[in-house]
Amino acid sequence: MEVDSQTDSPEEASHIGPKLIDGTPFVPRSPMGNMMSAPPEGGSFPSLDAVHKHVLEYCTSVGYAVVIGRSKKTVPGLKKVLFVCDRAGKPPSRVSPEQRKRKTSSRKCNCQFGFFAIEQRTQWTIRYRPDQVHLQHNHGPSESPLLHPAARKLDSKMVAAVKQLKENGTSRIWKKDLEVPGLTVTGIGVSQTLEILQSQNPHVPLLPRDIYNARAAITRNPSKVEAGIAEQRPAIYSKPAPTAEERIRSDLRRELARAKEELDKVKEDSRKEIDDLKAKLREKEKIIRKFEMFIDICNERVMVQRERLNDVDEQENNGEASSASR
């Protein structure tokens, strides 16, 4: 008898957590170099995927992870790919911590570490950047590769295994720590799938959420996943081509954002211009007040001088009158 819903054994669900904490079934790699060091320069790799796999294995073993930052073509038409630390870039400051509704944070800390993967005519090789600042991190090593989303990606074989276990596997039904005989579940549960994948790939860090995401991607677009499996590429991590309506909406959002930026700039320029005019008016008012004070002082001095002259005239007149009376 088959049941559409799936239920994991309580024992299986309970021991998956301690296993992840204890490092089992995930087995960290032994350090392939000094902590936080760059992968050795040079080497010969058949493809960019091979370079990516090698540098990711090396970097996660020494305390960090890398992602592809950007790529461009050189003059002969060959690719030059920049690998950067997964903590590169400045953290977004869209919302202040006091106003943030969700307790989320960014791992970005503007780390400048990075190196190149250079495509040559018959191989790929690793080259360091000229400035030595790009060979150093501005943060310490991570506690576990499980903390790096870039390291927790399923390859095409693992995606195929998740798909097969989801569709064709069977598991037992448990109720109150007891197995219910005769009842099975269509598809293997997430915890069992995780254990199977980790037993086959012990050095690949995986969390239950990665299995959930892979199963959700398979459900959303099974044909795309099947095409990716056939081409041996993890199609679940590539975005589907946007539809015409999505492109129009994206263009409208960009235009709206650009118009908003221009409006904010005009408002800011107007505010600065108004502030400058107000400052000039205040300066002129100060000059006018000083000029008025100067005029008042001059008038007061004129009045004082007039009074003094009047006093002198009165004294002279009184003197002449007294001399005439004698």
Side-chain angles (χ1 to χ4, degrees):
M1 178 179 179
E2 293 186 351
V3 182
D4 291 338
S5 62
Q6 60 185 30
T7 307
D8 294 328
S9 164
E11 295 180 358
E12 293 170 349
S14 63
H15 74 241
I16 189 67
K19 278 192 173 184
L20 287 173
I21 295 174
D22 297 338
T24 306
F26 167 61
V27 180
R29 297 178 184 274
S30 300
M32 301 170 65
N34 297 327
M35 292 301 291
M36 306 300 286
S37 62
E41 194 173 18
S44 176
F45 304 92
S47 64
L48 178 61
D49 290 337
V51 178
H52 197 172
K53 182 178 180 181
H54 169 74
V55 298
L56 199 56
E57 290 176 356
Y58 180 94
C59 296
T60 52
S61 72
V62 295
Y64 65 99
V66 291
V67 295
I68 293 178
R70 65 174 184 269
S71 62
K72 65 178 182 179
K73 288 189 176 182
T74 58
V75 175
L78 303 176
K79 285 186 178 180
K80 182 179 182 181
V81 180
L82 174 64
F83 283 90
V84 297
C85 178
D86 65 344
R87 302 189 66 179
K90 296 181 180 180
S93 56
R94 294 185 293 269
V95 181
S96 62
E98 295 79 11
Q99 298 177 348
R100 191 182 299 276
K101 294 182 179 180
R102 298 177 61 191
K103 294 182 179 180
T104 58
S105 60
S106 174
R107 298 180 64 253
K108 295 182 180 297
C109 62
N110 201 24
C111 182
Q112 299 295 317
F113 178 86
F115 55 88
F116 288 112
I118 307 294
E119 182 184 15
Q120 299 175 344
R121 297 192 180 278
T122 58
Q123 64 178 3
W124 285 77
T125 187
I126 298 173
R127 289 286 181 270
Y128 292 159
R129 302 175 74 176
D131 196 341
Q132 292 296 316
V133 71
H134 297 299
L135 294 179
Q136 298 177 354
H137 297 266
N138 64 352
H139 56 88
S142 61
E143 297 179 358
S144 170
L146 291 168
L147 301 177
H148 298 278
R152 303 196 320 264
K153 289 190 175 182
L154 287 71
D155 58 18
S156 59
K157 294 181 180 179
M158 298 172 74
V159 173
V162 171
K163 185 174 184 296
Q164 182 179 5
L165 292 172
K166 178 177 181 293
E167 296 175 352
N168 303 325
T170 58
S171 60
R172 297 166 294 176
I173 294 293
W174 292 74
K175 186 176 182 180
K176 295 182 179 180
D177 298 342
L178 296 175
E179 181 182 358
V180 179
L183 292 181
T184 58
V185 174
T186 302
I188 296 294
V190 171
S191 59
Q192 293 173 306
T193 302
L194 178 62
E195 288 186 355
I196 293 172
L197 291 181
Q198 288 281 218
S199 64
Q200 297 173 353
N201 306 273
H203 296 302
V204 178
L206 292 174
L207 291 176
R209 75 181 72 167
D210 303 316
I211 308 301
Y212 278 113
N213 293 339
R215 290 161 67 102
I218 293 170
T219 303
R220 282 195 304 268
N221 199 339
S223 59
K224 176 186 173 183
V225 174
E226 290 177 359
I229 294 173
E231 298 174 5
Q232 295 186 354
R233 57 181 178 83
I236 62 173
Y237 301 111
S238 60
K239 294 182 179 180
T243 62
E245 183 179 356
E246 290 174 342
R247 287 196 297 270
I248 292 173
R249 288 184 177 181
S250 178
D251 293 340
L252 290 176
R253 281 194 293 267
R254 281 196 296 269
E255 291 295 331
L256 182 61
R258 189 179 299 111
K260 186 177 179 181
E261 290 178 358
E262 292 177 355
L263 179 61
D264 293 339
K265 185 178 179 181
V266 170
K267 288 182 179 179
E268 183 67 18
D269 294 341
S270 300
R271 186 186 62 79
K272 289 182 179 179
E273 187 176 357
I274 292 172
D275 292 341
D276 292 340
L277 291 174
K278 288 182 178 179
K280 290 180 180 179
L281 286 175
R282 286 193 293 268
E283 290 295 330
K284 289 184 178 181
E285 288 177 355
K286 288 181 181 179
I287 294 173
I288 291 172
R289 284 198 298 270
K290 289 181 179 179
F291 184 71
E292 290 176 348
M293 292 173 62
F294 175 74
I295 292 175
D296 292 339
I297 293 172
C298 291
N299 290 335
E300 289 178 0
R301 288 182 178 178
V302 169
M303 295 299 294
V304 170
Q305 289 297 113
R306 284 181 179 178
E307 290 178 358
R308 287 179 180 178
L309 289 173
N310 291 334
D311 293 340
V312 171
D313 291 340
E314 289 178 358
Q315 290 177 0
E316 290 179 354
N317 292 333
N318 292 333
E320 291 176 357
S322 60
S323 60
S325 61
R326 290 178 183 175

